[in-house]
Amino acid sequence: MTAATSWLTRVLRIRVDERRVVGRLLPMMFVLMTGMAVGANGVESLLFLRVGPGALPYLYMVLGLATLVAFGAVSTAVARSAPGRIGILAPAVVGGVVLAMRALLLVSASWVYPVQWVTMMIAWTLSVLAAWSL
């Protein structure tokens, strides 16, 4: 173990038996959060440019209901699937949703941007939940 690794494990209070898990989870969460932060800036910029920030109060209400429905569906899927399967399917589903939202940009209508914002927020939350559940 190098001095930097020793210092990091001491600062983060990582036990010896946790090093393998943390060594995998930490980079995965970094990549996930970095990707979502970059994507969120793009989606929010498009929303503010095309629709305006005045739509946010209404979008947060829609987001609350949509998140409730999405988490209900995810809870049902987790309960009915084999252990560990959701950890494999979740990134594929989120990737498919991201591709669908990218294709939706080809439609030149103002309703696209609020849909993308709500979808992005739900995908972000579900991605973090899936990563932590691993």
Side-chain angles (χ1 to χ4, degrees):
M1 180 179 339
T2 66
T5 307
S6 174
W7 176 83
L8 188 61
T9 56
R10 199 171 47 254
V11 167
L12 296 177
R13 296 183 182 168
I14 300 169
R15 295 186 309 219
V16 174
D17 57 332
E18 296 173 333
R19 287 183 187 156
R20 186 173 175 193
V21 173
V22 171
R24 292 178 180 172
L25 183 66
L26 208 59
M28 181 181 69
M29 290 299 287
F30 177 78
V31 168
L32 179 67
M33 287 291 125
T34 302
M36 293 301 278
V38 170
N41 281 330
V43 171
E44 287 178 344
S45 296
L46 286 171
L47 175 73
F48 293 161
L49 181 68
R50 310 279 193 214
V51 179
L56 281 177
Y58 306 105
L59 288 176
Y60 276 113
M61 288 187 269
V62 171
L63 177 62
L65 293 172
T67 302
L68 178 69
V69 170
F71 271 74
V74 169
S75 295
T76 303
V78 168
R80 293 183 180 175
S81 70
R85 186 163 189 168
I86 292 297
I88 295 168
L89 290 177
V93 169
V94 170
V97 168
V98 168
L99 289 175
M101 290 296 105
R102 178 71 175 126
L104 196 60
L105 282 175
L106 298 175
V107 176
S108 57
S110 61
W111 61 266
V112 168
Y113 305 105
V115 168
Q116 285 191 327
W117 185 85
V118 170
T119 304
M120 179 259 318
M121 295 297 277
I122 293 171
W124 191 337
T125 306
L126 289 175
S127 296
V128 171
L129 178 71
W132 274 112
S133 70
L134 287 176

